[in-house]
Amino acid sequence: MPELPEVEVTRRALAPYLEGFTVQAVRVRDRRLRWPVPARLGQTLAGRPLLALDRRAKYLLWRFDHGTLISHLGMSGSWRLHLEGAPRPGAHDHADIEFAAATGARRIARLTDPRRFGALLWHPSRRGDLARHPLLAHLGLEPFDPRFDAAYLHAATRGRRTAIKQVLLSGAVVVGVGNIYASECLFRAQIHPMMAASRLGLARCERLVPAVRAVLAEAIEAGGSTLRNFIGADGSPGYFTAVGAQVYDRAGLACKVCGTPIRRLLQGQRATFFCPHCQRR
Ligand SMILES: [Zn+2]
């Protein structure tokens, strides 16, 4: 499942090729994604230049002067860029956005999504601030936002008696910490995943913030080596979440720090991995 690092790498791969280019056409072959793709998306976007390709949590925000196209990769989606005409679309290639530059250069961004949990939605500027869109309004801070610091994390976890792992996963305090990353961040910060979030002291918050940033930054960096896979028909954008995991999926194996066997437990039906010696409540 694509997580924040995959979405950020997708953004970095596509942005330099598409920003400033004008939409020529939108071809939607199957509108039945998680929500129906707007029927008039082609008319809405044709002739409009893409001002910027941004990201908020796992949403890509395609900024135009009259609104924003919001896309999400769902469980299995990916974007691929074709610079000289796209090959015949396959069964899961649900949408193409065709761009052109003043020079005549053409670029096609193609959305592939076998399980169709992804999204392609239009938010016109006249409907108001994008930050208040129902999909975005309740998101926590971005992990690389300077406002995400120990004091914020401490304040935001007061009164939250659920386990810190669950609070991270919820995205309500900070976005982007998916299931694998939650285990990795907590191991790095030496925090027990079952610890009630409300019991996190300032010292633990001071360890967790940089741990979240480091784990996500490393995943994005690892994904950076796959940038070329987004262009053309060769290779696969792929997902790269488990690279270099310290605890994730290592149940029974020795902790890389202290040698104690890593344990696995279930929290809200999701597997958590931790070192019972390094990570304390
Ligand atoms: Zn350990």
Side-chain angles (χ1 to χ4, degrees), residues 165-199:
K165 156 100 190 295
Q166 302 294 92
V167 170
L168 288 175
L169 262 191
S170 77
V173 171
V174 61
V175 300
V177 187
N179 194 50
I180 296 173
Y181 299 121
S183 285
E184 294 297 313
C185 295
L186 290 167
F187 173 74
R188 240 182 252 216
Q190 301 175 291
I191 296 169
H192 196 290
M194 298 277 276
M195 186 171 177
S198 58
R199 289 192 49 242

mmCIF file of all heavy atoms in Angstrom, residues 165-199:
data_model
loop_
_atom_site.group_PDB
_atom_site.id
_atom_site.type_symbol
_atom_site.label_atom_id
_atom_site.label_comp_id
_atom_site.label_asym_id
_atom_site.label_seq_id
_atom_site.Cartn_x
_atom_site.Cartn_y
_atom_site.Cartn_z
ATOM 1 N N LYS A 165 1.044 4.103 19.479
ATOM 2 C CA LYS A 165 1.066 3.529 18.116
ATOM 3 C C LYS A 165 -0.215 3.863 17.366
ATOM 4 O O LYS A 165 -0.190 4.228 16.184
ATOM 5 C CB LYS A 165 1.249 2.009 18.218
ATOM 6 C CG LYS A 165 0.722 1.218 17.014
ATOM 7 C CD LYS A 165 1.794 0.820 16.065
ATOM 8 C CE LYS A 165 1.348 0.241 14.738
ATOM 9 N NZ LYS A 165 0.643 -1.014 14.738
ATOM 10 N N GLN A 166 -1.364 3.722 18.053
ATOM 11 C CA GLN A 166 -2.661 3.984 17.422
ATOM 12 C C GLN A 166 -2.825 5.457 17.082
ATOM 13 O O GLN A 166 -3.402 5.824 16.066
ATOM 14 C CB GLN A 166 -3.804 3.543 18.348
ATOM 15 C CG GLN A 166 -3.757 2.092 18.739
ATOM 16 C CD GLN A 166 -3.986 1.195 17.554
ATOM 17 O OE1 GLN A 166 -3.037 0.784 16.904
ATOM 18 N NE2 GLN A 166 -5.235 0.913 17.244
ATOM 19 N N VAL A 167 -2.321 6.305 17.986
ATOM 20 C CA VAL A 167 -2.426 7.748 17.751
ATOM 21 C C VAL A 167 -1.589 8.141 16.532
ATOM 22 O O VAL A 167 -2.027 8.919 15.685
ATOM 23 C CB VAL A 167 -1.997 8.533 19.009
ATOM 24 C CG1 VAL A 167 -1.860 10.017 18.708
ATOM 25 C CG2 VAL A 167 -3.016 8.313 20.131
ATOM 26 N N LEU A 168 -0.396 7.573 16.416
ATOM 27 C CA LEU A 168 0.438 7.852 15.234
ATOM 28 C C LEU A 168 -0.282 7.399 13.968
ATOM 29 O O LEU A 168 -0.368 8.134 12.980
ATOM 30 C CB LEU A 168 1.790 7.137 15.347
ATOM 31 C CG LEU A 168 2.778 7.696 16.377
ATOM 32 C CD1 LEU A 168 4.015 6.801 16.453
ATOM 33 C CD2 LEU A 168 3.186 9.120 16.032
ATOM 34 N N LEU A 169 -0.810 6.159 13.991
ATOM 35 C CA LEU A 169 -1.476 5.596 12.816
ATOM 36 C C LEU A 169 -2.701 6.402 12.395
ATOM 37 O O LEU A 169 -3.013 6.477 11.216
ATOM 38 C CB LEU A 169 -1.941 4.165 13.120
ATOM 39 C CG LEU A 169 -1.083 2.999 12.675
ATOM 40 C CD1 LEU A 169 -1.875 1.711 12.841
ATOM 41 C CD2 LEU A 169 -0.610 3.146 11.248
ATOM 42 N N SER A 170 -3.387 7.005 13.346
ATOM 43 C CA SER A 170 -4.639 7.702 13.045
ATOM 44 C C SER A 170 -4.419 8.921 12.153
ATOM 45 O O SER A 170 -5.329 9.361 11.455
ATOM 46 C CB SER A 170 -5.321 8.135 14.338
ATOM 47 O OG SER A 170 -4.676 9.285 14.865
ATOM 48 N N GLY A 171 -3.216 9.489 12.179
ATOM 49 C CA GLY A 171 -2.954 10.679 11.362
ATOM 50 C C GLY A 171 -3.549 11.954 11.936
ATOM 51 O O GLY A 171 -3.431 13.019 11.342
ATOM 52 N N ALA A 172 -4.179 11.870 13.102
ATOM 53 C CA ALA A 172 -4.853 13.046 13.660
ATOM 54 C C ALA A 172 -3.866 14.034 14.285
ATOM 55 O O ALA A 172 -4.160 15.221 14.407
ATOM 56 C CB ALA A 172 -5.874 12.605 14.707
ATOM 57 N N VAL A 173 -2.685 13.546 14.686
ATOM 58 C CA VAL A 173 -1.682 14.419 15.300
ATOM 59 C C VAL A 173 -0.602 14.763 14.274
ATOM 60 O O VAL A 173 -0.237 15.925 14.106
ATOM 61 C CB VAL A 173 -1.063 13.739 16.545
ATOM 62 C CG1 VAL A 173 0.118 14.536 17.067
ATOM 63 C CG2 VAL A 173 -2.131 13.579 17.635
ATOM 64 N N VAL A 174 -0.103 13.731 13.606
ATOM 65 C CA VAL A 174 0.879 13.924 12.536
ATOM 66 C C VAL A 174 0.530 12.926 11.444
ATOM 67 O O VAL A 174 0.143 11.794 11.736
ATOM 68 C CB VAL A 174 2.331 13.742 13.055
ATOM 69 C CG1 VAL A 174 2.562 12.347 13.605
ATOM 70 C CG2 VAL A 174 3.345 14.066 11.968
ATOM 71 N N VAL A 175 0.613 13.335 10.182
ATOM 72 C CA VAL A 175 0.249 12.433 9.091
ATOM 73 C C VAL A 175 1.473 11.680 8.583
ATOM 74 O O VAL A 175 2.614 12.069 8.853
ATOM 75 C CB VAL A 175 -0.405 13.204 7.915
ATOM 76 C CG1 VAL A 175 -1.664 13.902 8.371
ATOM 77 C CG2 VAL A 175 0.584 14.184 7.284
ATOM 78 N N GLY A 176 1.233 10.597 7.883
ATOM 79 C CA GLY A 176 2.308 9.926 7.169
ATOM 80 C C GLY A 176 2.939 8.753 7.869
ATOM 81 O O GLY A 176 3.797 8.081 7.298
ATOM 82 N N VAL A 177 2.538 8.503 9.128
ATOM 83 C CA VAL A 177 3.149 7.400 9.859
ATOM 84 C C VAL A 177 2.272 6.162 9.690
ATOM 85 O O VAL A 177 1.383 5.894 10.497
ATOM 86 C CB VAL A 177 3.350 7.747 11.354
ATOM 87 C CG1 VAL A 177 4.138 6.637 12.035
ATOM 88 C CG2 VAL A 177 4.090 9.069 11.494
ATOM 89 N N GLY A 178 2.498 5.424 8.619
ATOM 90 C CA GLY A 178 1.758 4.184 8.350
ATOM 91 C C GLY A 178 2.210 3.079 9.281
ATOM 92 O O GLY A 178 3.056 3.289 10.156
ATOM 93 N N ASN A 179 1.649 1.900 9.087
ATOM 94 C CA ASN A 179 1.851 0.815 10.056
ATOM 95 C C ASN A 179 3.315 0.405 10.221
ATOM 96 O O ASN A 179 3.792 0.231 11.332
ATOM 97 C CB ASN A 179 0.996 -0.387 9.643
ATOM 98 C CG ASN A 179 0.892 -1.391 10.777
ATOM 99 O OD1 ASN A 179 0.574 -1.023 11.909
ATOM 100 N ND2 ASN A 179 1.197 -2.638 10.485
ATOM 101 N N ILE A 180 4.018 0.260 9.120
ATOM 102 C CA ILE A 180 5.425 -0.138 9.207
ATOM 103 C C ILE A 180 6.234 0.967 9.893
ATOM 104 O O ILE A 180 7.022 0.718 10.815
ATOM 105 C CB ILE A 180 5.994 -0.419 7.802
ATOM 106 C CG1 ILE A 180 5.272 -1.620 7.184
ATOM 107 C CG2 ILE A 180 7.497 -0.645 7.849
ATOM 108 C CD1 ILE A 180 5.633 -1.876 5.731
ATOM 109 N N TYR A 181 5.978 2.212 9.459
ATOM 110 C CA TYR A 181 6.744 3.338 9.999
ATOM 111 C C TYR A 181 6.471 3.552 11.480
ATOM 112 O O TYR A 181 7.358 3.967 12.225
ATOM 113 C CB TYR A 181 6.431 4.614 9.214
ATOM 114 C CG TYR A 181 6.789 4.491 7.762
ATOM 115 C CD1 TYR A 181 5.837 4.646 6.771
ATOM 116 C CD2 TYR A 181 8.091 4.166 7.388
ATOM 117 C CE1 TYR A 181 6.162 4.501 5.434
ATOM 118 C CE2 TYR A 181 8.418 4.013 6.059
ATOM 119 C CZ TYR A 181 7.451 4.181 5.082
ATOM 120 O OH TYR A 181 7.788 4.023 3.773
ATOM 121 N N ALA A 182 5.250 3.260 11.941
ATOM 122 C CA ALA A 182 4.922 3.451 13.358
ATOM 123 C C ALA A 182 5.820 2.570 14.224
ATOM 124 O O ALA A 182 6.393 3.024 15.222
ATOM 125 C CB ALA A 182 3.451 3.153 13.610
ATOM 126 N N SER A 183 5.965 1.306 13.843
ATOM 127 C CA SER A 183 6.857 0.414 14.604
ATOM 128 C C SER A 183 8.291 0.930 14.576
ATOM 129 O O SER A 183 8.983 0.936 15.594
ATOM 130 C CB SER A 183 6.826 -1.010 14.023
ATOM 131 O OG SER A 183 5.631 -1.674 14.382
ATOM 132 N N GLU A 184 8.727 1.344 13.419
ATOM 133 C CA GLU A 184 10.112 1.797 13.274
ATOM 134 C C GLU A 184 10.393 3.075 14.071
ATOM 135 O O GLU A 184 11.439 3.205 14.713
ATOM 136 C CB GLU A 184 10.424 2.027 11.793
ATOM 137 C CG GLU A 184 10.403 0.759 10.949
ATOM 138 C CD GLU A 184 11.479 -0.239 11.374
ATOM 139 O OE1 GLU A 184 12.638 0.174 11.565
ATOM 140 O OE2 GLU A 184 11.139 -1.423 11.541
ATOM 141 N N CYS A 185 9.449 4.022 14.018
ATOM 142 C CA CYS A 185 9.627 5.295 14.740
ATOM 143 C C CYS A 185 9.689 5.055 16.247
ATOM 144 O O CYS A 185 10.529 5.637 16.940
ATOM 145 C CB CYS A 185 8.464 6.246 14.470
ATOM 146 S SG CYS A 185 8.334 6.775 12.769
ATOM 147 N N LEU A 186 8.789 4.216 16.740
ATOM 148 C CA LEU A 186 8.735 3.980 18.186
ATOM 149 C C LEU A 186 9.970 3.230 18.663
ATOM 150 O O LEU A 186 10.476 3.480 19.762
ATOM 151 C CB LEU A 186 7.452 3.229 18.556
ATOM 152 C CG LEU A 186 6.189 4.098 18.393
ATOM 153 C CD1 LEU A 186 4.932 3.243 18.459
ATOM 154 C CD2 LEU A 186 6.150 5.199 19.460
ATOM 155 N N PHE A 187 10.485 2.323 17.841
ATOM 156 C CA PHE A 187 11.729 1.637 18.204
ATOM 157 C C PHE A 187 12.863 2.653 18.307
ATOM 158 O O PHE A 187 13.625 2.678 19.266
ATOM 159 C CB PHE A 187 12.074 0.563 17.172
ATOM 160 C CG PHE A 187 13.425 -0.068 17.406
ATOM 161 C CD1 PHE A 187 13.624 -0.965 18.440
ATOM 162 C CD2 PHE A 187 14.506 0.263 16.597
ATOM 163 C CE1 PHE A 187 14.875 -1.534 18.673
ATOM 164 C CE2 PHE A 187 15.759 -0.293 16.825
ATOM 165 C CZ PHE A 187 15.945 -1.195 17.859
ATOM 166 N N ARG A 188 12.951 3.517 17.306
ATOM 167 C CA ARG A 188 14.017 4.513 17.308
ATOM 168 C C ARG A 188 13.925 5.456 18.491
ATOM 169 O O ARG A 188 14.939 5.888 19.034
ATOM 170 C CB ARG A 188 13.972 5.324 16.028
ATOM 171 C CG ARG A 188 15.280 5.156 15.264
ATOM 172 C CD ARG A 188 15.239 5.992 14.055
ATOM 173 N NE ARG A 188 15.090 5.118 12.908
ATOM 174 C CZ ARG A 188 15.675 5.366 11.762
ATOM 175 N NH1 ARG A 188 16.412 6.439 11.610
ATOM 176 N NH2 ARG A 188 15.512 4.549 10.756
ATOM 177 N N ALA A 189 12.689 5.774 18.886
ATOM 178 C CA ALA A 189 12.483 6.701 20.000
ATOM 179 C C ALA A 189 12.482 5.967 21.339
ATOM 180 O O ALA A 189 12.334 6.606 22.392
ATOM 181 C CB ALA A 189 11.176 7.457 19.812
ATOM 182 N N GLN A 190 12.632 4.635 21.314
ATOM 183 C CA GLN A 190 12.654 3.798 22.527
ATOM 184 C C GLN A 190 11.388 3.962 23.357
ATOM 185 O O GLN A 190 11.432 4.111 24.577
ATOM 186 C CB GLN A 190 13.887 4.126 23.373
ATOM 187 C CG GLN A 190 15.191 3.894 22.606
ATOM 188 C CD GLN A 190 16.390 4.329 23.420
ATOM 189 O OE1 GLN A 190 16.576 5.515 23.651
ATOM 190 N NE2 GLN A 190 17.171 3.367 23.871
ATOM 191 N N ILE A 191 10.255 3.947 22.655
ATOM 192 C CA ILE A 191 8.955 4.087 23.311
ATOM 193 C C ILE A 191 8.143 2.815 23.067
ATOM 194 O O ILE A 191 8.061 2.335 21.926
ATOM 195 C CB ILE A 191 8.191 5.311 22.756
ATOM 196 C CG1 ILE A 191 8.952 6.601 23.080
ATOM 197 C CG2 ILE A 191 6.768 5.371 23.321
ATOM 198 C CD1 ILE A 191 8.417 7.833 22.353
ATOM 199 N N HIS A 192 7.555 2.275 24.140
ATOM 200 C CA HIS A 192 6.734 1.070 24.018
ATOM 201 C C HIS A 192 5.462 1.405 23.233
ATOM 202 O O HIS A 192 4.782 2.385 23.557
ATOM 203 C CB HIS A 192 6.381 0.546 25.407
ATOM 204 C CG HIS A 192 5.891 -0.864 25.399
ATOM 205 N ND1 HIS A 192 4.663 -1.227 24.876
ATOM 206 C CD2 HIS A 192 6.459 -2.022 25.846
ATOM 207 C CE1 HIS A 192 4.505 -2.531 25.006
ATOM 208 N NE2 HIS A 192 5.575 -3.036 25.588
ATOM 209 N N PRO A 193 5.126 0.586 22.214
ATOM 210 C CA PRO A 193 3.967 0.921 21.362
ATOM 211 C C PRO A 193 2.627 0.923 22.102
ATOM 212 O O PRO A 193 1.674 1.560 21.642
ATOM 213 C CB PRO A 193 3.982 -0.175 20.280
ATOM 214 C CG PRO A 193 4.842 -1.268 20.833
ATOM 215 C CD PRO A 193 5.836 -0.611 21.730
ATOM 216 N N MET A 194 2.557 0.222 23.255
ATOM 217 C CA MET A 194 1.290 0.164 24.003
ATOM 218 C C MET A 194 1.128 1.336 24.964
ATOM 219 O O MET A 194 0.082 1.479 25.597
ATOM 220 C CB MET A 194 1.229 -1.138 24.815
ATOM 221 C CG MET A 194 1.247 -2.388 23.980
ATOM 222 S SD MET A 194 -0.404 -2.774 23.390
ATOM 223 C CE MET A 194 -1.021 -3.655 24.828
ATOM 224 N N MET A 195 2.168 2.130 25.121
ATOM 225 C CA MET A 195 2.089 3.222 26.088
ATOM 226 C C MET A 195 0.951 4.184 25.720
ATOM 227 O O MET A 195 0.795 4.567 24.558
ATOM 228 C CB MET A 195 3.411 3.974 26.094
ATOM 229 C CG MET A 195 3.497 5.034 27.162
ATOM 230 S SD MET A 195 5.182 5.679 27.236
ATOM 231 C CE MET A 195 4.924 6.939 28.479
ATOM 232 N N ALA A 196 0.157 4.555 26.725
ATOM 233 C CA ALA A 196 -0.922 5.526 26.468
ATOM 234 C C ALA A 196 -0.292 6.835 26.005
ATOM 235 O O ALA A 196 0.659 7.330 26.617
ATOM 236 C CB ALA A 196 -1.745 5.746 27.732
ATOM 237 N N ALA A 197 -0.833 7.397 24.926
ATOM 238 C CA ALA A 197 -0.252 8.634 24.374
ATOM 239 C C ALA A 197 -0.235 9.740 25.425
ATOM 240 O O ALA A 197 0.720 10.521 25.509
ATOM 241 C CB ALA A 197 -1.045 9.080 23.146
ATOM 242 N N SER A 198 -1.268 9.785 26.247
ATOM 243 C CA SER A 198 -1.378 10.853 27.256
ATOM 244 C C SER A 198 -0.277 10.768 28.309
ATOM 245 O O SER A 198 -0.039 11.735 29.035
ATOM 246 C CB SER A 198 -2.744 10.782 27.932
ATOM 247 O OG SER A 198 -2.912 9.504 28.524
ATOM 248 N N ARG A 199 0.397 9.607 28.403
ATOM 249 C CA ARG A 199 1.453 9.461 29.407
ATOM 250 C C ARG A 199 2.835 9.804 28.853
ATOM 251 O O ARG A 199 3.836 9.755 29.578
ATOM 252 C CB ARG A 199 1.441 8.045 29.984
ATOM 253 C CG ARG A 199 0.221 7.781 30.882
ATOM 254 C CD ARG A 199 0.374 6.490 31.671
ATOM 255 N NE ARG A 199 1.676 6.422 32.343
ATOM 256 C CZ ARG A 199 2.602 5.490 32.097
ATOM 257 N NH1 ARG A 199 2.379 4.545 31.211
ATOM 258 N NH2 ARG A 199 3.741 5.494 32.742
#
